[in-house]
Amino acid sequence: MVNPALVDPATIRTTAAEAWIRAHPILRNYRTLYAQALDDADPGYVGGFGVFRHTTRPATPADTDAVTPDNDTLPSRAWLDLRAEPWVLSVPDEERYHVLAVHELDTLQAGLIGSRATGRQAGDYLVAGPDWQGEAPPGITGVIRTATRLVGVLAHTRLTGTAPADLAALKAVQERYRLRPLHEYAGTPAPTPAPEPVWPVWRDEVLDGVEFLTFLDFLLGFFPLTDELPPAETELRGRLADLGIDGRGEFEPAVLPLEVRAELDRGIADGRARLTRAVAELRDSASLFGTRAELGGDFLRQAVGAELGPYGLPTEEVWYGRWAADSEGRRPPDAGDRDHLIRFAPDALPPARFFWSATAYALPGHRLVANPLDRYSVGGHTPGLVHDRDGGLTLYVQRERPADAEHSANWLPAPDGPFAVVLRIHGPEASVLDGRWQPPPLTPR
Protein backbone atom coordinates (compact mmCIF):
# COMPACT_ATOMS: atom_id res chain seq x y z
CA MET A 1 0.00 0.00 0.00
CA VAL A 2 1.06 3.58 -0.62
CA ASN A 3 2.06 5.55 2.45
CA PRO A 4 -0.29 8.59 2.55
CA ALA A 5 2.58 10.73 3.78
CA LEU A 6 4.22 10.29 0.39
CA VAL A 7 1.25 11.52 -1.63
CA ASP A 8 3.17 14.70 -2.31
CA PRO A 9 3.47 15.32 -6.06
CA ALA A 10 6.97 16.77 -5.87
CA THR A 11 8.27 13.87 -3.77
CA ILE A 12 6.65 11.16 -5.90
CA ARG A 13 7.87 12.67 -9.15
CA THR A 14 11.44 12.99 -7.84
CA THR A 15 11.38 9.43 -6.48
CA ALA A 16 10.07 8.06 -9.79
CA ALA A 17 12.82 9.82 -11.75
CA GLU A 18 15.55 8.52 -9.46
CA ALA A 19 13.99 5.04 -9.39
CA TRP A 20 13.81 4.90 -13.19
CA ILE A 21 17.50 5.79 -13.45
CA ARG A 22 18.41 3.32 -10.68
CA ALA A 23 16.33 0.59 -12.31
CA HIS A 24 17.74 1.10 -15.81
CA PRO A 25 20.84 -1.14 -15.47
CA ILE A 26 18.87 -3.68 -13.40
CA LEU A 27 16.14 -3.99 -16.03
CA ARG A 28 18.57 -3.96 -18.95
CA ASN A 29 20.37 -6.79 -17.20
CA TYR A 30 17.13 -8.70 -16.59
CA ARG A 31 16.25 -8.39 -20.26
CA THR A 32 19.52 -10.21 -21.07
CA LEU A 33 19.15 -12.69 -18.21
CA TYR A 34 15.60 -13.54 -19.30
CA ALA A 35 16.67 -14.21 -22.88
CA GLN A 36 19.78 -16.18 -21.98
CA ALA A 37 18.79 -18.14 -18.86
CA LEU A 38 14.98 -18.36 -18.86
CA ASP A 39 13.53 -18.21 -22.38
CA ASP A 40 14.49 -21.45 -24.12
CA ALA A 41 12.91 -20.17 -27.34
CA ASP A 42 15.30 -17.22 -27.55
CA PRO A 43 18.27 -17.56 -29.95
CA GLY A 44 20.58 -16.35 -27.18
CA TYR A 45 19.48 -18.99 -24.66
CA VAL A 46 22.53 -20.44 -22.91
CA GLY A 47 20.79 -23.45 -21.34
CA GLY A 48 19.61 -22.15 -17.96
CA PHE A 49 21.58 -21.27 -14.85
CA GLY A 50 25.06 -22.68 -14.27
CA VAL A 51 25.84 -23.30 -17.95
CA PHE A 52 28.39 -21.61 -20.20
CA ARG A 53 27.56 -20.73 -23.77
CA HIS A 54 30.56 -19.76 -25.85
CA THR A 55 30.69 -17.49 -28.88
CA THR A 56 33.11 -19.08 -31.32
CA ARG A 57 33.04 -16.63 -34.23
CA PRO A 58 33.59 -12.87 -34.53
CA ALA A 59 30.61 -10.53 -34.55
CA THR A 60 29.40 -9.02 -37.83
CA PRO A 61 26.95 -6.21 -38.69
CA ALA A 62 24.26 -8.91 -38.92
CA ASP A 63 24.55 -9.50 -35.16
CA THR A 64 22.11 -6.80 -34.09
CA ASP A 65 21.36 -8.21 -30.61
CA ALA A 66 24.61 -6.89 -29.13
CA VAL A 67 25.33 -3.27 -28.18
CA THR A 68 28.82 -1.96 -29.08
CA PRO A 69 30.18 -5.44 -29.94
CA ASP A 70 33.92 -5.84 -30.37
CA ASN A 71 36.04 -8.55 -31.95
CA ASP A 72 39.13 -8.14 -29.79
CA THR A 73 37.78 -10.96 -27.67
CA LEU A 74 35.03 -13.57 -27.98
CA PRO A 75 32.55 -13.84 -25.12
CA SER A 76 31.37 -16.76 -23.02
CA ARG A 77 28.22 -16.20 -20.96
CA ALA A 78 26.69 -17.86 -17.92
CA TRP A 79 24.20 -17.01 -15.15
CA LEU A 80 24.22 -18.19 -11.53
CA ASP A 81 21.44 -18.43 -8.95
CA LEU A 82 23.22 -18.18 -5.61
CA ARG A 83 20.21 -18.53 -3.32
CA ALA A 84 20.72 -22.18 -2.37
CA GLU A 85 24.54 -22.30 -2.38
CA PRO A 86 27.65 -20.78 -3.97
CA TRP A 87 29.14 -21.92 -7.26
CA VAL A 88 32.75 -22.69 -8.15
CA LEU A 89 34.18 -21.08 -11.29
CA SER A 90 37.32 -22.84 -12.55
CA VAL A 91 39.81 -21.49 -15.08
CA PRO A 92 42.78 -23.18 -16.81
CA ASP A 93 46.43 -22.22 -16.91
CA GLU A 94 46.43 -20.06 -20.05
CA GLU A 95 48.86 -17.68 -21.74
CA ARG A 96 46.25 -16.18 -24.11
CA TYR A 97 44.68 -13.00 -22.69
CA HIS A 98 41.42 -13.71 -20.90
CA VAL A 99 39.24 -12.18 -18.22
CA LEU A 100 36.16 -13.62 -16.52
CA ALA A 101 33.99 -10.96 -14.88
CA VAL A 102 31.33 -11.74 -12.29
CA HIS A 103 28.71 -8.99 -12.51
CA GLU A 104 25.83 -8.37 -10.16
CA LEU A 105 22.17 -7.77 -10.85
CA ASP A 106 22.78 -4.05 -11.48
CA THR A 107 25.76 -4.92 -13.76
CA LEU A 108 28.46 -3.75 -11.30
CA GLN A 109 31.49 -6.00 -11.09
CA ALA A 110 31.85 -8.24 -8.02
CA GLY A 111 35.19 -9.71 -9.08
CA LEU A 112 37.55 -10.45 -11.95
CA ILE A 113 39.61 -13.53 -12.78
CA GLY A 114 42.16 -13.63 -15.58
CA SER A 115 45.43 -12.53 -17.12
CA ARG A 116 45.67 -9.15 -15.39
CA ALA A 117 43.67 -9.71 -12.20
CA THR A 118 44.90 -13.12 -11.07
CA GLY A 119 47.56 -14.18 -13.57
CA ARG A 120 47.68 -16.93 -16.14
CA GLN A 121 47.62 -19.82 -13.62
CA ALA A 122 44.71 -22.21 -13.13
CA GLY A 123 42.38 -21.75 -10.19
CA ASP A 124 39.03 -22.58 -8.56
CA TYR A 125 37.09 -19.51 -7.41
CA LEU A 126 34.08 -19.58 -5.11
CA VAL A 127 31.24 -17.19 -6.07
CA ALA A 128 29.05 -16.67 -2.99
CA GLY A 129 25.88 -14.58 -2.60
CA PRO A 130 24.84 -12.30 0.25
CA ASP A 131 23.15 -15.08 2.28
CA TRP A 132 26.05 -17.53 2.45
CA GLN A 133 27.72 -17.88 5.85
CA GLY A 134 29.92 -20.92 5.26
CA GLU A 135 33.65 -21.44 4.83
CA ALA A 136 35.46 -22.13 1.58
CA PRO A 137 36.53 -25.78 1.26
CA PRO A 138 40.15 -26.82 0.66
CA GLY A 139 41.42 -26.14 -2.83
CA ILE A 140 39.59 -22.85 -3.38
CA THR A 141 41.92 -20.23 -4.86
CA GLY A 142 39.81 -17.21 -3.97
CA VAL A 143 36.31 -16.09 -2.98
CA ILE A 144 34.13 -13.55 -4.81
CA ARG A 145 31.31 -12.20 -2.62
CA THR A 146 28.30 -10.67 -4.34
CA ALA A 147 25.62 -8.26 -3.14
CA THR A 148 22.92 -9.92 -5.28
CA ARG A 149 21.52 -13.45 -5.38
CA LEU A 150 21.54 -13.57 -9.17
CA VAL A 151 24.79 -12.86 -11.01
CA GLY A 152 26.19 -13.19 -14.48
CA VAL A 153 29.59 -14.41 -15.62
CA LEU A 154 30.96 -12.88 -18.79
CA ALA A 155 34.29 -14.22 -19.99
CA HIS A 156 36.37 -12.51 -22.69
CA THR A 157 39.02 -14.59 -24.48
CA ARG A 158 41.34 -12.82 -26.91
CA LEU A 159 40.93 -13.42 -30.62
CA THR A 160 44.32 -13.00 -32.27
CA GLY A 161 43.17 -13.84 -35.79
CA THR A 162 40.20 -15.11 -37.75
CA ALA A 163 41.97 -18.12 -39.26
CA PRO A 164 40.41 -21.51 -38.42
CA ALA A 165 43.48 -22.49 -36.40
CA ASP A 166 43.17 -19.53 -34.03
CA LEU A 167 39.41 -19.98 -33.66
CA ALA A 168 39.95 -23.64 -32.80
CA ALA A 169 42.63 -22.77 -30.23
CA LEU A 170 40.40 -20.10 -28.70
CA LYS A 171 37.48 -22.54 -28.48
CA ALA A 172 39.71 -25.03 -26.65
CA VAL A 173 40.42 -22.37 -24.00
CA GLN A 174 36.73 -21.52 -23.63
CA GLU A 175 35.78 -25.15 -23.11
CA ARG A 176 38.09 -25.34 -20.09
CA TYR A 177 36.07 -22.70 -18.23
CA ARG A 178 34.01 -24.75 -15.76
CA LEU A 179 31.07 -24.13 -13.40
CA ARG A 180 30.05 -26.42 -10.52
CA PRO A 181 27.71 -25.94 -7.56
CA LEU A 182 29.63 -25.98 -4.28
CA HIS A 183 28.24 -29.33 -3.12
CA GLU A 184 29.47 -31.00 -6.32
CA TYR A 185 32.93 -29.48 -5.96
CA ALA A 186 33.19 -30.38 -2.26
CA GLY A 187 31.56 -33.82 -2.55
CA THR A 188 28.86 -32.99 0.02
CA PRO A 189 25.06 -33.50 -0.06
CA ALA A 190 23.09 -31.10 -2.21
CA PRO A 191 21.21 -28.38 -0.31
CA THR A 192 17.46 -27.87 -0.51
CA PRO A 193 16.77 -26.10 -3.80
CA ALA A 194 15.55 -22.51 -3.65
CA PRO A 195 11.88 -22.08 -4.66
CA GLU A 196 11.29 -21.39 -8.33
CA PRO A 197 10.07 -17.81 -8.81
CA VAL A 198 7.34 -16.80 -11.21
CA TRP A 199 9.68 -14.98 -13.57
CA PRO A 200 7.96 -11.99 -15.21
CA VAL A 201 8.05 -12.22 -19.00
CA TRP A 202 10.25 -9.49 -20.39
CA ARG A 203 8.83 -6.97 -22.86
CA ASP A 204 10.83 -3.97 -24.06
CA GLU A 205 7.93 -1.59 -23.43
CA VAL A 206 8.33 -2.20 -19.68
CA LEU A 207 10.98 0.52 -19.65
CA ASP A 208 8.52 3.09 -20.99
CA GLY A 209 5.92 3.21 -18.22
CA VAL A 210 5.03 2.69 -14.60
CA GLU A 211 5.20 -1.10 -15.04
CA PHE A 212 8.97 -0.80 -14.65
CA LEU A 213 8.29 -0.50 -10.91
CA THR A 214 6.60 -3.92 -10.89
CA PHE A 215 9.72 -5.50 -12.39
CA LEU A 216 11.95 -3.54 -10.05
CA ASP A 217 9.93 -4.74 -7.05
CA PHE A 218 10.37 -8.35 -8.16
CA LEU A 219 14.09 -8.01 -8.82
CA LEU A 220 14.85 -6.26 -5.55
CA GLY A 221 13.91 -9.57 -3.94
CA PHE A 222 17.26 -10.81 -5.25
CA PHE A 223 19.09 -7.71 -4.03
CA PRO A 224 18.77 -7.43 -0.24
CA LEU A 225 19.64 -4.28 1.66
CA THR A 226 22.86 -4.72 3.64
CA ASP A 227 25.20 -2.45 5.55
CA GLU A 228 27.71 -2.67 2.69
CA LEU A 229 25.46 -0.81 0.24
CA PRO A 230 26.01 2.95 -0.19
CA PRO A 231 23.75 5.42 1.67
CA ALA A 232 22.15 6.54 -1.60
CA GLU A 233 20.84 2.99 -2.11
CA THR A 234 19.39 2.77 1.40
CA GLU A 235 17.76 6.19 1.16
CA LEU A 236 16.13 5.50 -2.22
CA ARG A 237 14.96 2.06 -1.11
CA GLY A 238 13.23 3.68 1.86
CA ARG A 239 11.25 6.02 -0.38
CA LEU A 240 10.40 3.15 -2.71
CA ALA A 241 9.17 1.06 0.23
CA ASP A 242 6.77 3.88 1.13
CA LEU A 243 5.32 3.45 -2.37
CA GLY A 244 4.96 -0.31 -1.82
CA ILE A 245 8.12 -1.32 -3.72
CA ASP A 246 10.03 -3.36 -1.16
CA GLY A 247 11.26 -6.50 -2.93
CA ARG A 248 8.28 -8.72 -2.12
CA GLY A 249 7.08 -8.62 -5.73
CA GLU A 250 3.56 -7.52 -4.75
CA PHE A 251 3.52 -3.98 -6.16
CA GLU A 252 0.42 -3.32 -8.23
CA PRO A 253 0.30 0.02 -10.11
CA ALA A 254 -3.44 -0.33 -10.81
CA VAL A 255 -4.33 0.33 -7.17
CA LEU A 256 -2.48 3.64 -7.05
CA PRO A 257 -4.52 6.87 -6.91
CA LEU A 258 -4.70 8.63 -10.25
CA GLU A 259 -2.74 11.62 -9.00
CA VAL A 260 0.06 9.33 -7.88
CA ARG A 261 0.18 7.55 -11.24
CA ALA A 262 0.28 10.90 -13.02
CA GLU A 263 3.28 12.03 -10.99
CA LEU A 264 5.00 8.68 -11.54
CA ASP A 265 4.57 9.14 -15.30
CA ARG A 266 6.08 12.63 -15.09
CA GLY A 267 8.98 11.29 -13.03
CA ILE A 268 9.66 8.55 -15.57
CA ALA A 269 9.82 11.18 -18.33
CA ASP A 270 12.20 13.21 -16.16
CA GLY A 271 14.45 10.20 -15.60
CA ARG A 272 14.56 9.33 -19.27
CA ALA A 273 15.39 12.94 -20.17
CA ARG A 274 18.23 12.99 -17.62
CA LEU A 275 19.69 9.81 -19.08
CA THR A 276 19.37 11.08 -22.67
CA ARG A 277 21.10 14.32 -21.72
CA ALA A 278 23.88 12.52 -19.84
CA VAL A 279 24.60 10.26 -22.81
CA ALA A 280 24.66 13.24 -25.21
CA GLU A 281 27.04 15.17 -22.94
CA LEU A 282 29.38 12.24 -22.29
CA ARG A 283 32.99 13.09 -23.03
CA ASP A 284 34.80 10.04 -21.67
CA SER A 285 33.37 6.56 -21.11
CA ALA A 286 36.46 5.38 -19.24
CA SER A 287 34.84 5.61 -15.80
CA LEU A 288 31.41 4.17 -16.52
CA PHE A 289 32.13 0.63 -15.36
CA GLY A 290 33.54 -0.85 -12.19
CA THR A 291 32.81 -2.22 -8.75
CA ARG A 292 30.34 -1.01 -6.14
CA ALA A 293 33.22 0.52 -4.21
CA GLU A 294 34.21 2.52 -7.31
CA LEU A 295 30.79 3.66 -8.53
CA GLY A 296 28.98 3.74 -5.18
CA GLY A 297 25.63 5.48 -5.41
CA ASP A 298 26.29 7.20 -8.74
CA PHE A 299 23.21 5.68 -10.34
CA LEU A 300 23.21 8.01 -13.36
CA ARG A 301 26.72 6.92 -14.30
CA GLN A 302 25.65 3.28 -14.01
CA ALA A 303 22.61 3.97 -16.20
CA VAL A 304 24.74 5.66 -18.87
CA GLY A 305 27.06 2.64 -18.92
CA ALA A 306 24.09 0.27 -19.27
CA GLU A 307 22.64 2.39 -22.06
CA LEU A 308 25.87 2.46 -24.07
CA GLY A 309 26.73 -1.19 -23.49
CA PRO A 310 26.19 -3.08 -20.24
CA TYR A 311 28.93 -5.30 -18.81
CA GLY A 312 31.83 -2.99 -19.53
CA LEU A 313 34.93 -3.86 -17.55
CA PRO A 314 36.57 -1.71 -14.86
CA THR A 315 39.06 0.88 -16.04
CA GLU A 316 42.11 -0.97 -14.74
CA GLU A 317 41.15 -3.96 -16.94
CA VAL A 318 40.01 -2.08 -20.05
CA TRP A 319 40.14 1.67 -20.56
CA TYR A 320 37.37 2.91 -22.84
CA GLY A 321 37.78 6.11 -24.83
CA ARG A 322 35.10 7.46 -27.13
CA TRP A 323 35.21 9.83 -30.07
CA ALA A 324 31.61 11.08 -30.06
CA ALA A 325 32.46 14.43 -31.69
CA ASP A 326 35.07 15.66 -34.13
CA SER A 327 37.68 18.35 -33.49
CA GLU A 328 35.33 20.99 -34.91
CA GLY A 329 32.57 20.15 -32.45
CA ARG A 330 30.23 18.13 -34.67
CA ARG A 331 28.35 15.73 -32.38
CA PRO A 332 28.04 13.10 -33.59
CA PRO A 333 30.47 13.16 -36.50
CA ASP A 334 29.05 12.17 -39.87
CA ALA A 335 30.99 10.18 -42.45
CA GLY A 336 28.31 10.67 -45.06
CA ASP A 337 29.73 14.00 -46.19
CA ARG A 338 33.37 14.06 -45.04
CA ASP A 339 36.28 11.82 -44.12
CA HIS A 340 38.14 11.83 -40.79
CA LEU A 341 41.45 10.72 -39.37
CA ILE A 342 42.95 9.90 -35.97
CA ARG A 343 46.71 10.45 -35.70
CA PHE A 344 48.74 9.05 -32.84
CA ALA A 345 52.07 10.82 -32.42
CA PRO A 346 55.24 8.67 -32.40
CA ASP A 347 55.50 8.72 -28.63
CA ALA A 348 51.75 8.63 -27.97
CA LEU A 349 50.43 5.30 -29.22
CA PRO A 350 47.90 3.84 -26.78
CA PRO A 351 49.93 2.52 -23.79
CA ALA A 352 48.66 -1.04 -23.37
CA ARG A 353 50.04 -3.91 -21.33
CA PHE A 354 48.12 -6.35 -23.53
CA PHE A 355 46.64 -4.70 -26.67
CA TRP A 356 44.46 -1.87 -27.97
CA SER A 357 41.91 -1.29 -30.73
CA ALA A 358 39.62 1.37 -32.21
CA THR A 359 36.16 0.29 -33.42
CA ALA A 360 33.70 2.38 -35.45
CA TYR A 361 29.96 2.09 -34.82
CA ALA A 362 27.00 3.29 -36.83
CA LEU A 363 24.53 5.48 -34.92
CA PRO A 364 21.99 5.09 -33.57
CA GLY A 365 22.34 1.60 -32.14
CA HIS A 366 26.14 1.31 -32.01
CA ARG A 367 26.22 -1.36 -34.73
CA LEU A 368 29.28 -2.63 -36.57
CA VAL A 369 29.81 -1.12 -40.00
CA ALA A 370 29.50 -3.34 -43.08
CA ASN A 371 32.44 -2.97 -45.48
CA PRO A 372 34.15 -4.92 -48.28
CA LEU A 373 37.10 -5.92 -46.07
CA ASP A 374 34.95 -7.21 -43.20
CA ARG A 375 37.17 -5.04 -41.01
CA TYR A 376 35.42 -3.65 -37.95
CA SER A 377 38.33 -2.41 -35.86
CA VAL A 378 41.96 -1.37 -36.21
CA GLY A 379 44.60 -1.73 -33.53
CA GLY A 380 48.18 -2.57 -32.69
CA HIS A 381 47.49 -6.18 -33.70
CA THR A 382 46.06 -5.36 -37.18
CA PRO A 383 48.25 -6.98 -39.88
CA GLY A 384 49.86 -4.65 -42.41
CA LEU A 385 49.44 -1.32 -40.62
CA VAL A 386 51.68 1.37 -42.11
CA HIS A 387 53.30 3.79 -39.67
CA ASP A 388 53.99 7.40 -40.56
CA ARG A 389 57.55 8.36 -41.49
CA ASP A 390 58.12 9.79 -38.01
CA GLY A 391 56.91 6.58 -36.34
CA GLY A 392 53.41 7.80 -35.59
CA LEU A 393 50.25 6.08 -36.74
CA THR A 394 47.31 7.56 -38.65
CA LEU A 395 43.93 5.82 -38.90
CA TYR A 396 41.67 6.85 -41.78
CA VAL A 397 38.04 6.83 -40.62
CA GLN A 398 35.88 7.13 -43.72
CA ARG A 399 33.06 5.59 -45.70
CA GLU A 400 34.97 4.65 -48.86
CA ARG A 401 38.19 2.67 -48.95
CA PRO A 402 41.10 5.08 -49.55
CA ALA A 403 42.68 4.94 -53.00
CA ASP A 404 46.17 5.39 -51.53
CA ALA A 405 47.61 1.97 -50.62
CA GLU A 406 49.18 3.17 -47.35
CA HIS A 407 45.98 4.89 -46.29
CA SER A 408 44.00 1.81 -47.26
CA ALA A 409 46.14 -0.34 -44.95
CA ASN A 410 45.05 1.91 -42.05
CA TRP A 411 41.41 2.22 -43.04
CA LEU A 412 38.77 2.09 -40.29
CA PRO A 413 35.49 1.81 -42.22
CA ALA A 414 32.77 4.27 -41.17
CA PRO A 415 29.07 4.28 -42.10
CA ASP A 416 27.33 6.56 -44.55
CA GLY A 417 26.04 8.74 -41.74
CA PRO A 418 26.53 9.43 -38.01
CA PHE A 419 29.06 7.35 -36.14
CA ALA A 420 31.19 7.06 -33.01
CA VAL A 421 34.58 5.44 -32.48
CA VAL A 422 35.39 3.55 -29.29
CA LEU A 423 38.99 3.02 -28.17
CA ARG A 424 39.70 0.02 -25.95
CA ILE A 425 43.03 -0.34 -24.14
CA HIS A 426 43.35 -3.75 -22.50
CA GLY A 427 45.68 -3.52 -19.54
CA PRO A 428 46.10 0.29 -19.61
CA GLU A 429 49.39 1.63 -18.32
CA ALA A 430 49.52 4.11 -15.43
CA SER A 431 49.74 7.09 -17.80
CA VAL A 432 46.28 6.21 -19.12
CA LEU A 433 44.72 5.70 -15.71
CA ASP A 434 46.05 8.95 -14.24
CA GLY A 435 45.22 11.03 -17.32
CA ARG A 436 48.75 11.86 -18.47
CA TRP A 437 48.02 10.09 -21.76
CA GLN A 438 45.07 11.42 -23.74
CA PRO A 439 43.72 10.21 -27.08
CA PRO A 440 44.20 12.52 -30.07
CA PRO A 441 41.23 14.25 -31.71
CA LEU A 442 39.05 12.89 -34.49
CA THR A 443 39.90 15.35 -37.25
CA PRO A 444 37.81 16.04 -40.38
CA ARG A 445 39.81 15.89 -43.62
Side-chain angles (χ1 to χ4, degrees):
M1 295 293 294
V2 176
N3 186 330
L6 258 189
V7 184
D8 172 353
T11 303
I12 294 172
R13 181 171 179 172
T14 300
T15 298
E18 294 178 14
W20 190 88
I21 290 169
R22 177 69 189 107
H24 194 66
I26 298 174
L27 297 188
R28 288 288 298 265
N29 190 35
Y30 182 70
R31 176 171 67 177
T32 306
L33 183 156
Y34 188 85
Q36 294 183 355
L38 299 171
D39 184 2
D40 59 7
D42 192 280
Y45 184 64
V46 303
F49 289 99
V51 179
F52 266 121
R53 178 172 176 176
H54 307 295
T55 298
T56 56
R57 65 166 181 82
T60 72
D63 297 306
T64 58
D65 58 334
V67 179
T68 56
D70 78 274
N71 286 331
D72 296 330
T73 62
L74 295 189
S76 302
R77 297 177 174 85
W79 296 90
L80 303 178
D81 183 343
L82 303 176
R83 290 176 298 158
E85 63 177 325
W87 283 70
V88 176
L89 172 56
S90 300
V91 297
D93 184 302
E94 180 53 46
E95 182 177 1
R96 181 188 295 255
Y97 173 83
H98 62 287
V99 56
L100 292 86
V102 178
H103 64 81
E104 300 183 304
L105 195 55
D106 56 354
T107 73
L108 294 182
Q109 303 294 341
L112 301 176
I113 303 165
S115 303
R116 183 203 61 84
T118 57
R120 61 165 291 174
Q121 63 271 21
D124 299 321
Y125 295 85
L126 189 73
V127 183
D131 308 306
W132 187 68
Q133 303 296 326
E135 293 185 2
I140 291 295
T141 309
V143 177
I144 296 175
R145 295 303 304 252
T146 73
T148 62
R149 296 167 177 139
L150 299 178
V151 301
V153 180
L154 181 54
H156 303 266
T157 310
R158 185 180 181 186
L159 178 66
T160 59
T162 57
D166 187 61
L167 289 172
L170 186 150
K171 183 178 179 181
V173 176
Q174 292 174 319
E175 290 177 346
R176 286 183 286 162
Y177 301 147
R178 187 179 182 189
L179 286 166
R180 287 168 285 178
L182 177 58
H183 78 270
E184 180 181 316
Y185 176 88
T188 57
T192 302
E196 183 68 14
V198 179
W199 303 99
V201 176
W202 177 259
R203 306 182 323 281
D204 284 346
E205 56 267 29
V206 166
L207 287 170
D208 296 328
V210 72
E211 190 183 6
F212 92 89
L213 290 169
T214 303
F215 278 71
L216 179 61
D217 185 37
F218 170 79
L219 292 169
L220 289 180
F222 300 93
F223 192 172
L225 271 176
T226 64
D227 293 340
E228 288 75 26
L229 295 178
E233 184 86 47
T234 304
E235 193 275 333
L236 178 58
R237 294 278 193 101
R239 285 187 280 139
L240 287 172
D242 288 334
L243 283 168
I245 303 155
D246 54 13
R248 290 184 295 176
E250 299 176 357
F251 177 72
E252 178 49 67
V255 305
L256 296 174
L258 290 178
E259 64 270 21
V260 173
R261 286 184 61 99
E263 291 306 310
L264 289 174
D265 288 337
R266 293 185 181 96
I268 292 167
D270 293 344
R272 183 178 292 280
R274 284 182 62 193
L275 177 60
T276 300
R277 185 166 58 252
V279 171
E281 294 173 351
L282 183 67
R283 295 293 183 269
D284 183 357
S285 58
S287 60
L288 293 177
F289 310 105
T291 65
R292 200 167 305 282
E294 293 167 333
L295 273 70
D298 192 341
F299 302 138
L300 182 58
R301 185 153 52 125
Q302 295 177 37
V304 171
E307 181 72 12
L308 293 178
Y311 319 124
L313 292 163
T315 303
E316 61 270 20
E317 186 71 38
V318 183
W319 186 91
Y320 302 89
R322 176 181 170 85
W323 287 281
D326 65 25
S327 60
E328 297 178 359
R330 294 178 181 84
R331 178 178 292 270
D334 192 317
D337 57 2
R338 60 196 311 173
D339 299 335
H340 301 76
L341 61 81
I342 300 169
R343 185 181 189 275
F344 297 99
D347 57 351
L349 290 172
R353 177 181 168 189
F354 297 108
F355 58 95
W356 66 272
S357 71
T359 306
Y361 297 99
L363 299 177
H366 290 84
R367 306 303 183 194
L368 294 176
V369 178
N371 65 89
L373 296 185
D374 292 331
R375 172 187 283 184
Y376 309 115
S377 66
V378 174
H381 58 285
T382 302
L385 283 183
V386 178
H387 284 257
D388 303 331
R389 288 186 176 86
D390 63 0
L393 180 67
T394 301
L395 306 183
Y396 296 90
V397 188
Q398 55 191 70
R399 178 169 47 95
E400 300 292 341
R401 183 175 182 175
D404 181 280
E406 292 187 0
H407 292 185
S408 179
N410 297 5
W411 179 38
L412 178 57
D416 185 9
F419 70 97
V421 179
V422 173
L423 174 66
R424 295 176 175 89
I425 303 178
H426 290 255
E429 300 286 359
S431 61
V432 180
L433 298 177
D434 64 21
R436 284 178 289 131
W437 182 89
Q438 293 290 323
L442 175 72
T443 306
R445 297 178 62 196

